[in-house]
């Protein structure tokens, strides 16, 4: 298409930009960086945002970062018409109503066979609803979890697309290049499955992330509050941990955090950060889904509770005054601690607890996959989490191998390799929990992980008493260990007769 401009001395021919391969709507931090990543991999991309200044900002960044093939548009019609058919548009907008509003704006200009991809943290049932609505218009739809934060989106995220297989095939070549690349296992993307499976897997990923972060925070608390480690010592500890079995993105950035000085006052910045943790909802959804599916996820649930309690800053300050006036300080013991031994014990406790957190997340994914008939491959999920995403860690490779050995593995805890590692670490794990309890340090994640392990490994639990109580007051019946069928006992009558 040519645009001819005439002047007295010459004719100037301006060429319109060629049709692009893909479009992206929503240019906040994640959207901008993913768009630049796509362009950087050689795929011409159109971008659009309702706030036009974001479009101009992204175009300018593309010029500065290597004159990348990125084209900005200020209105939805020209944006859509700039993309080659069948058109593919990625949305990166806030979950919920904004997604529906964006779909409504864009779908007016889309044609049959075109595809919309939601790259946000959306509730999986919303994705399934939208996929059906788009199908009625002849459009394809994908819900694609994208993990890795700002840096991951720009350099290579882990991506979890679910929904239309045809839609995935239309952009598979793009996703394979844009995703994080792990030398021994390939691009960190795969077609997850039908419906809202991609969003569900990303949701559980975030739940595992909640658990991971809480466990690391508790390790920090024990080392700092009981071990009296300085920020410089903590920086070195986490650097060392990141060279071994705990090698992971979260341990790596934790080491970085302890090394950063405050640029506005003396000391380290981490000590000036307010102890209130925010959240966007995916952790809560994970815990709710675990409850709905009757899947125990205490490590993830305790991390959510910890965030709720952190939000009660003013109440906690007042409670601290109440108990301090009663002679109850923050740390209950002033005993001498062997720092080297403590650091090693906490390392082992952190690793064992992490296994529990991942095991709970994987069990939740499997339960939902069975309920929905998604046929999800847990080993493949572990593979695409090895790079790009927030929970990427060295031991994800070993999780993949565990499911490769046994696709029907009931729980990571009973995989022979993981079982051996937990047995080797349980003494240190128990020492850390006991030390924390005796010192008045809350370690809900590490403690509930240990309780999860201790409950799961026992062949007989006190649940027999709970069931007897239920039958006593509610005639809920019970099963016996030595006979088939259900039974009910008139506990109250028998008890009363024995008192006569």
């Amino acid at each position: 298409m040519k645009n001819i401009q005439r002047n007295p001395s010459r004719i100037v021919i301006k060429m319109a930009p060629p049709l692009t391969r893909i479009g992206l709507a929503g240019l906040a931090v994640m959207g901008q960086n993913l768009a630049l990543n796509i362009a950087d991999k050689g795929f011409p991309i159109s971008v659009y945002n309702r706030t036009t200044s974001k479009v101009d900002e992204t175009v300018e960044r593309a010029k500065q970062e290597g004159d990348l093939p990125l084209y900005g548009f200020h209105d939805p019609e020209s944006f859509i018409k700039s993309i080659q058919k069948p058109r593919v548009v990625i949305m990166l907008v806030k979950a919920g109503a904004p997604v529906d509003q964006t779909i409504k704006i864009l779908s007016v200009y889309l044609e049959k066979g075109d595809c919309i991809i939601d790259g946000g943290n959306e509730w999986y049932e919303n994705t399934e609803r939208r996929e059906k609505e788009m199908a009625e218009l002849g459009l394809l739809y994908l819900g694609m979890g994208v993990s890795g934060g700002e840096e991951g989106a720009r350099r290579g995220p882990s991506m979890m697309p679910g929904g239309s297989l045809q839609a995935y095939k239309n952009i598979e070549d793009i996703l394979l290049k844009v995703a994080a690349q792990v030398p021994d296992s390939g691009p960190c993307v795969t077609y997850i499955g039908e419906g809202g499976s991609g969003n569900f897997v990303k949701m559980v990923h975030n739940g595992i992330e909640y658990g991971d972060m809480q466990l690391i925070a508790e390790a920090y608390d024990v080392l700092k509050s009981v071990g009296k480690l300085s920020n410089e010592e903590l920086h070195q500890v986490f650097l060392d941990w990141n060279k071994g079995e705990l090698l992971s993105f979260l341990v790596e950035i934790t080491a970085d955090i302890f090394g950063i000085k405050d640029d506005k006052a003396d000391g380290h910045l981490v000590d000036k950060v307010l102890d209130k943790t925010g959240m966007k909802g995916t952790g809560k959804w994970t815990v709710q889904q675990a409850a709905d599916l009757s899947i125990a996820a205490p490590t993830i649930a305790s991390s959510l509770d910890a965030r709720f309690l952190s939000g009660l800053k003013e109440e906690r300050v007042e409670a601290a005054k109440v108990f301090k006036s009663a002679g109850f300080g923050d740390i209950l013991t002033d005993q001498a601690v062997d720092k080297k031994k403590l650091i090693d014990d906490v390392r082992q406790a952190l690793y064992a607890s992490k296994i529990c957190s991942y095991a709970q997340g994987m069990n939740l994914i499997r339960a939902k996959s069975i309920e929905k008939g998604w046929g999800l491959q847990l080993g493949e999920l572990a593979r695409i989490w090895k790079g790009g995403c927030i929970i990427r860690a060295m031991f994800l490779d070993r999780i993949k191998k565990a499911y490769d050995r046994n696709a029907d593995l009931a729980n990571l805890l009973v995989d022979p390799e993981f079982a051996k590692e937990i047995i080797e670490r349980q003494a240190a794990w128990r020492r850390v929990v006991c030390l924390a309890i005796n010192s008045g340090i809350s370690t809900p994640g590490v403690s509930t992980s240990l309780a999860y392990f201790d409950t799961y490994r026992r062949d007989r639990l006190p649940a027999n008493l709970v069931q007897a109580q239920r039958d006593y007051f509610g005639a809920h019946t019970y099963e016996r260990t030595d006979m088939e069928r259900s039974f009910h006992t008139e506990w109250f009558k028998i008890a009363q007769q024995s008192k006569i």
Side-chain angles (χ1 to χ4, degrees):
M1 184 167 60
K2 298 179 180 179
N3 180 16
I4 300 177
Q5 297 181 344
R6 299 181 181 274
N7 65 38
S9 60
R10 60 180 179 169
I11 295 177
V12 179
I13 300 176
K14 288 184 67 178
M15 299 298 295
L19 292 177
T20 60
R21 176 65 197 282
I22 192 169
L24 190 145
L27 296 171
V29 173
M30 287 291 287
Q32 273 196 30
N33 282 285
L34 187 59
L36 290 164
N37 183 357
I38 292 170
D40 207 10
K41 297 302 187 296
F43 299 102
I45 183 171
S46 302
V47 298
Y48 165 74
N49 196 84
R50 290 180 67 181
T51 305
T52 57
S53 60
K54 287 288 185 182
V55 177
D56 299 336
E57 180 184 314
T58 308
V59 170
E60 184 58 32
R61 279 190 64 188
K63 290 178 181 177
Q64 294 174 356
E65 295 183 23
D67 201 19
L68 304 176
L70 182 148
Y71 305 90
F73 297 87
H74 288 174
D75 68 279
E77 183 176 7
S78 59
F79 164 64
I80 294 297
K81 289 183 177 179
S82 71
I83 306 165
Q84 71 180 44
K85 299 178 183 179
R87 302 182 183 95
V88 177
V89 179
I90 299 174
M91 299 180 299
L92 273 164
V93 298
K94 189 176 180 182
V99 174
D100 290 309
Q101 291 165 4
T102 304
I103 290 173
K104 186 176 181 180
I105 291 169
L106 300 180
S107 61
V108 172
Y109 308 104
L110 293 172
E111 301 173 19
K112 287 185 177 180
D114 291 346
C115 174
I116 297 177
I117 302 173
D118 178 10
N121 285 328
E122 185 55 273
W123 175 238
Y124 81 98
E125 289 182 340
N126 284 340
T127 295
E128 294 184 338
R129 167 179 60 80
R130 291 171 185 140
E131 184 182 8
K132 291 176 182 175
E133 291 171 352
M134 293 302 99
E136 292 174 1
L137 300 176
L139 302 176
L140 306 178
Y141 197 82
L142 281 174
M144 182 172 71
V146 180
S147 179
E150 178 180 354
E151 186 66 16
R154 181 64 183 87
R155 303 300 170 192
S158 173
M159 294 182 285
M160 295 149 256
S164 166
L165 178 58
Q166 183 183 342
Y168 173 74
K169 289 297 183 182
N170 287 348
I171 59 161
E172 184 177 29
D173 60 329
I174 297 177
L175 298 183
L176 289 174
K177 287 191 176 181
V178 168
Q181 307 292 316
V182 176
D184 63 344
S185 60
C188 293
V189 63
T190 191
Y191 175 68
I192 300 296
E194 297 177 348
S197 58
N199 291 121
F200 190 89
V201 167
K202 175 57 164 58
M203 176 197 77
V204 177
H205 162 285
N206 286 17
I208 294 171
E209 177 186 311
Y210 272 50
D212 234 348
M213 295 172 73
Q214 178 63 27
L215 293 171
I216 291 171
E218 291 173 18
Y220 152 64
D221 197 6
V222 172
L223 293 175
K224 179 182 175 68
S225 300
V226 182
K228 309 299 182 185
L229 271 70
S230 66
N231 286 320
E232 288 82 2
E233 289 173 313
L234 288 164
H235 171 68
Q236 189 58 52
V237 164
F238 279 85
L239 279 179
D240 292 341
W241 284 357
N242 201 46
K243 296 173 185 175
E245 62 189 12
L246 290 172
L247 190 155
S248 63
F249 172 72
L250 286 171
V251 169
E252 177 187 348
I253 68 169
T254 301
D256 290 344
I257 288 168
F258 289 127
I260 294 175
K261 296 288 185 70
D262 188 356
D263 62 351
K264 297 179 176 60
D266 293 334
H268 288 76
L269 181 57
V270 67
D271 295 326
K272 310 294 172 56
V273 177
L274 183 65
D275 54 324
K276 287 176 68 172
T277 307
M279 68 192 83
K280 292 187 176 180
T282 46
K284 183 190 294 185
W285 291 347
T286 303
V287 173
Q288 289 170 335
Q289 279 293 292
D292 288 345
L293 292 164
S294 300
I295 298 296
T299 307
I300 298 172
S302 67
S303 69
L304 183 65
D305 288 339
R307 293 195 182 198
F308 292 153
L309 285 165
S310 78
L312 304 177
K313 176 64 176 179
E314 294 76 15
E315 290 183 39
R316 290 188 289 110
V317 168
E318 292 305 312
K321 292 176 183 176
V322 170
F323 290 104
K324 191 171 184 178
S325 65
F328 198 91
D330 284 341
I331 306 299
L332 303 184
T333 60
D334 255 339
Q335 61 188 24
V337 174
D338 181 337
K339 280 189 180 183
K340 186 176 179 180
K341 179 64 174 171
L342 178 63
I343 291 169
D344 190 58
D345 278 356
V346 172
R347 173 186 61 79
Q348 294 184 64
L350 176 56
Y351 183 79
S353 299
K354 278 169 65 74
I355 294 173
C356 292
S357 183
Y358 282 74
Q360 293 160 27
M362 289 300 192
N363 287 351
L364 176 54
I365 290 172
R366 180 178 55 199
K368 178 57 76 170
S369 177
I370 292 170
E371 179 189 80
K372 301 287 288 186
W374 286 336
L376 304 186
Q377 303 297 311
L378 300 185
E380 182 67 354
L381 300 184
R383 182 192 69 78
I384 68 168
W385 288 344
K386 285 173 61 179
C389 72
I390 302 302
I391 65 170
R392 62 184 183 266
M394 182 178 70
F395 91 142
L396 276 163
D397 188 55
R398 304 202 14 262
I399 291 177
K400 179 185 183 301
K401 289 177 180 175
Y403 287 112
D404 286 346
R405 285 190 291 271
N406 181 4
D408 298 320
L409 185 66
N411 193 304
L412 282 175
L413 298 182
V414 295
D415 171 74
E417 286 195 15
F418 282 120
K420 180 175 180 290
E421 290 185 332
I422 285 185
I423 290 169
E424 292 171 349
R425 289 160 178 76
Q426 69 160 329
W429 200 3
R430 296 181 194 284
R431 284 195 295 270
V432 170
V433 170
C434 289
L435 177 63
I437 290 171
N438 290 332
S439 301
I441 302 296
S442 173
T443 54
V446 175
S447 299
T448 55
S449 294
L450 179 57
Y452 176 78
F453 165 68
D454 279 337
T455 302
Y456 190 73
R457 70 176 176 80
R458 292 184 64 190
D459 63 357
R460 185 162 176 83
L461 295 171
N464 58 314
L465 178 58
V466 175
Q467 193 61 15
Q469 291 170 334
R470 294 181 73 243
D471 190 52
Y472 189 118
F473 65 70
H476 293 292
T477 74
Y478 59 91
E479 295 176 87
R480 292 178 61 101
T481 60
D482 56 350
M483 300 178 188
E484 295 292 332
R485 75 181 179 84
S486 296
F487 293 84
H488 169 60
T489 296
E490 298 285 349
W491 302 86
F492 177 76
K493 288 183 178 179
I494 295 170
Q496 290 301 109
Q497 289 172 0
S498 67
K499 294 176 184 176
I500 297 174

